[in-house]
Amino acid sequence: MLDKYDVFVQIICDLAEYDSATGNCPVVINPHLPGVIYINLKQAGKHSITYTSHDDGKHFKRLQLEEEHPDCNDNNCGFELDLNCSSGFMANSFPTNWIVKINGIFHKIGSRSNHSFVSFNGGLSWKMLDTRIEQLTIVNNGGLMVGHERKKGKIWYSYNEGRKWLRVKIKAYNCIDIIPLSFDKYRVLAVINYKEKTRTYKLSLLKFNRALSMMYLMIGTQCDVNDFDTWYVPRYQGTCFQGEEMIYLKKKPLPICFDNRTSSLPTINACPCSLEDFHWYSNINDSKTNYFFKDNLCLLDTNLNLTESSKICLDGGKPLNHLNGYELYLNRFAQLDSDLCYPRETFLIENSNYSDYCISVSNIHFISDFSIRIYVIFPDQINECEFDNKGYYLPASFFKKYDLPMTISSIDPITYNINGKEIYLYKNHKIFRYFEELNKFTKDEVSLYQLNFDIVEITHDYINSFIFILDTKHRLFALSLANNYIKFLTSDVIDFSFDIDTM
């Protein structure tokens, strides 16, 4: 999730794992409804439970069944949707703006069962269908649901969003697919059945017609204006989200009629912005009235006389006042405990004169802002992340990536000049230098020195323009980049570390 500084922030932990073999993934975003997200979270046991967010990931709640299961209470039940990352899954699972249909598993203490789960309100509440219903197909914008019962070769169908089901036997014991077909005068469902003994396929056509009989499933009358209701995209706080209220015309469940609309466009109304619309929070005397709606966005009124905080750092250093208050707001940007996926308590004081977060200032007199950073070196890039003055991740931490022009291995000695953005790499008895530009290092390597011994470790001192070298014979050298000389320091060195503030 992005905060107001376009920085990615972790919003939730314990996601289920991605399965490359099946394509199952832990996160799916509704392609029709902005801000609606579905995730699978690992539970204490081995299975996962599906949660949903209707506010762009700020809050996640368990999926709710429209009818409570008699054996479930106190969250001892839940269902796990088979989320998938494929384009076919997205098209099949989200047929319209308000309909979601996904297969999944219903978990109850001591048991589990496979079902199809359907929502007709954008995922706010769900129906769990009979476990016998397979190959569920929804047409007519929700006006007709059709499924297959394999054991008895029957077709199940409902006109009223699953409130009542009817069945017809067509001897389709091995249904491959149920496909909606569209013609000028008729609406038809094709049921494809495969007979293994004869290795033949059987095609059955279920027609939409005026008659309502065993093989004709729906009256052909077209829906009129009285057969529709206004449907608001659901949110946790009313129907307004980021200054917009989205409204669709949705067919009522009970009328048996044909919805001949080929598409359904929303009516979008502007509505008052709220702090709940935003991913971030900052204690700069802001309130709901400080925002207005323009060009589909909630914007801060720049004419307001808002002043940034002028707090200082308790232990010295440079204050990061734009991060003040982040942890106070629902722990949304709190630092995570290193052992638990849970915000680490820091007991920030809201009205304190001191800034909540600071970065270090070097004791080297000509270095003004010297923060604590971590560098992670990969075969094709270097990742850099800034810490606060106590060595913790900042609330809006992110890794800045620098692409490398070559591929390195774990045995290649390499060091990084954090001031001049340079890489010093040892390969084949040579020390090479690469310069960084626009988050990429140059492809033109500069060979600085050729040595007659092998190096196992190298570290750069950008203050004094030195390179410290440890060779395979446990000898430590200092190489001056300014004066081009090398000096032997000591022998019998197994390993060494370098601290620029103690030089």
Side-chain angles (χ1 to χ4, degrees):
M1 183 178 68
L2 291 174
D3 68 357
K4 67 174 181 177
Y5 296 98
D6 291 332
V7 175
F8 278 105
V9 179
Q10 185 171 1
I11 58 176
I12 201 160
C13 305
D14 295 328
L15 288 176
E17 296 179 358
Y18 169 73
D19 189 339
S20 58
T22 63
N24 288 345
C25 53
V27 180
V28 166
I29 300 175
N30 192 308
H32 303 302
L33 306 180
V36 180
I37 307 172
Y38 305 92
I39 61 172
N40 280 334
L41 295 184
K42 292 183 291 186
Q43 305 301 298
K46 295 182 179 180
H47 67 269
S48 300
I49 295 296
T50 304
Y51 290 70
T52 184
S53 172
H54 287 264
D55 55 9
D56 227 4
K58 290 172 61 177
H59 304 89
F60 284 94
K61 298 182 179 180
R62 280 193 178 208
L63 301 187
Q64 299 294 321
L65 293 175
E66 291 184 0
E67 298 180 1
E68 294 185 3
H69 196 280
D71 298 330
C72 296
N73 55 71
D74 297 331
N75 288 331
N76 63 348
C77 298
F79 52 101
E80 175 186 2
L81 300 181
D82 297 332
L83 303 180
N84 195 281
C85 298
S86 67
S87 57
F89 170 85
M90 299 297 290
N92 183 63
S93 301
F94 302 93
T96 66
N97 300 287
W98 52 83
I99 299 176
V100 187
K101 65 179 187 74
I102 305 176
N103 294 330
I105 302 172
F106 178 66
H107 295 282
K108 188 176 63 174
I109 294 180
S111 67
R112 52 181 284 172
S113 54
N114 296 313
H115 298 265
S116 292
F117 296 91
V118 184
S119 174
F120 289 95
N121 54 18
L124 199 62
S125 62
W126 295 76
K127 298 178 184 292
M128 183 171 66
L129 304 188
D130 191 298
T131 188
R132 292 171 291 179
I133 300 177
E134 303 176 8
Q135 301 286 351
L136 180 67
T137 300
I138 301 178
V139 294
N140 194 34
N141 288 323
L144 175 65
M145 301 170 63
V146 179
H148 170 245
E149 182 183 353
R150 182 182 302 272
K151 186 175 181 180
K152 294 187 177 181
K154 292 183 178 181
I155 292 295
W156 291 51
Y157 58 96
S158 172
Y159 321 114
N160 49 23
E161 299 182 355
R163 288 170 170 81
K164 182 179 179 180
W165 288 90
L166 301 174
R167 286 172 285 183
V168 56
K169 190 169 185 177
I170 62 172
K171 297 182 180 181
Y173 298 99
N174 189 22
C175 178
I176 303 299
D177 203 357
I178 300 176
I179 305 173
L181 305 177
S182 179
F183 300 94
D184 292 338
K185 296 182 179 180
Y186 301 100
R187 296 298 188 272
V188 180
L189 285 177
V191 180
I192 303 175
N193 185 66
Y194 178 68
K195 295 183 178 180
E196 294 184 356
K197 290 184 178 180
T198 59
R199 296 183 179 181
T200 58
Y201 291 91
K202 176 184 176 182
L203 177 66
S204 301
L205 299 181
L206 307 178
K207 299 180 181 179
F208 293 61
N209 205 306
R210 293 182 180 276
L212 185 61
S213 62
M214 183 174 65
M215 291 299 294
Y216 295 91
L217 301 183
M218 180 168 287
I219 293 176
T221 304
Q222 291 187 357
C223 301
D224 60 29
V225 66
N226 296 320
D227 296 322
F228 294 92
D229 267 336
T230 54
W231 179 74
Y232 295 84
V233 175
R235 304 297 179 185
Y236 292 134
Q237 304 293 332
T239 58
C240 186
F241 180 65
Q242 293 187 348
E244 289 185 350
E245 186 180 59
M246 300 181 66
I247 307 170
Y248 290 90
L249 276 180
K250 177 180 177 291
K251 179 185 170 297
K252 297 177 181 179
L254 297 182
I256 301 178
C257 60
F258 177 66
D259 184 359
N260 64 345
R261 296 176 300 168
T262 57
S263 62
S264 179
L265 298 178
T267 299
I268 301 178
N269 297 328
C271 53
C273 299
S274 167
L275 282 182
E276 281 298 313
D277 291 333
F278 298 91
H279 302 305
W280 48 265
Y281 178 81
S282 181
N283 289 335
I284 53 172
N285 301 319
D286 47 12
S287 64
K288 298 179 181 180
T289 57
N290 293 336
Y291 297 87
F292 65 97
F293 182 76
K294 180 181 179 181
D295 297 331
N296 298 328
L297 294 173
C298 286
L299 302 178
L300 177 67
D301 189 350
T302 56
N303 294 323
L304 296 174
N305 294 322
L306 299 179
T307 58
E308 288 282 354
S309 172
S310 58
K311 295 181 178 182
I312 62 174
C313 296
L314 177 63
D315 302 322
K318 179 181 178 181
L320 302 178
N321 287 318
H322 64 280
L323 297 180
N324 287 337
Y326 269 62
E327 188 168 289
L328 301 177
Y329 191 56
L330 300 179
N331 285 325
R332 189 166 304 141
F333 293 91
Q335 302 166 15
L336 295 181
D337 189 284
S338 58
D339 298 321
L340 302 173
C341 188
Y342 192 81
R344 176 171 54 83
E345 295 186 13
T346 54
F347 305 104
L348 302 182
I349 302 175
E350 184 174 1
N351 298 319
S352 171
N353 293 325
Y354 298 106
S355 180
D356 296 335
Y357 300 97
C358 300
I359 59 174
S360 298
V361 175
S362 174
N363 58 17
I364 307 298
H365 68 278
F366 53 87
I367 302 297
S368 58
D369 295 331
F370 183 78
S371 59
I372 304 173
R373 298 171 185 266
I374 184 174
Y375 295 89
V376 183
I377 300 177
F378 293 92
D380 58 350
Q381 66 182 210
I382 291 180
N383 290 2
E384 176 188 64
C385 182
E386 183 180 38
F387 285 0
D388 68 8
N389 60 343
K390 298 179 181 179
Y392 295 122
Y393 284 99
L394 293 167
S397 292
F398 74 104
F399 280 86
K400 188 174 182 180
K401 298 180 179 180
Y402 298 92
D403 294 330
L404 298 179
M406 69 294 188
T407 300
I408 61 175
S409 68
S410 59
I411 63 174
D412 291 328
I414 187 172
T415 186
Y416 180 43
N417 179 359
I418 62 176
N419 188 39
K421 303 298 184 184
E422 300 169 332
I423 288 178
Y424 293 89
L425 172 69
Y426 172 80
K427 270 183 176 291
N428 300 323
H429 296 283
K430 292 182 180 180
I431 296 179
F432 297 96
R433 181 176 62 192
Y434 298 86
F435 294 97
E436 183 269 331
E437 184 177 358
L438 299 177
N439 292 349
K440 291 185 178 181
F441 286 90
T442 58
K443 294 183 179 179
D444 299 328
E445 59 189 10
V446 178
S447 177
L448 297 179
Y449 304 99
Q450 183 167 353
L451 308 175
N452 61 359
F453 52 84
D454 287 320
I455 292 177
V456 295
E457 191 171 348
I458 182 173
T459 299
H460 182 259
D461 171 11
Y462 74 89
I463 298 296
N464 301 298
S465 193
F466 278 105
I467 290 180
F468 294 95
I469 297 171
L470 179 63
D471 72 357
T472 55
K473 297 181 179 180
H474 309 297
R475 297 177 299 179
L476 184 64
F477 298 88
L479 194 158
S480 173
L481 298 174
N483 299 317
N484 292 321
Y485 73 86
I486 187 170
K487 181 179 180 180
F488 171 74
L489 298 179
T490 185
S491 59
D492 299 327
V493 178
I494 303 300
D495 196 4
F496 75 96
S497 61
F498 173 72
D499 186 351
I500 195 168
D501 284 340
T502 59
M503 285 295 294

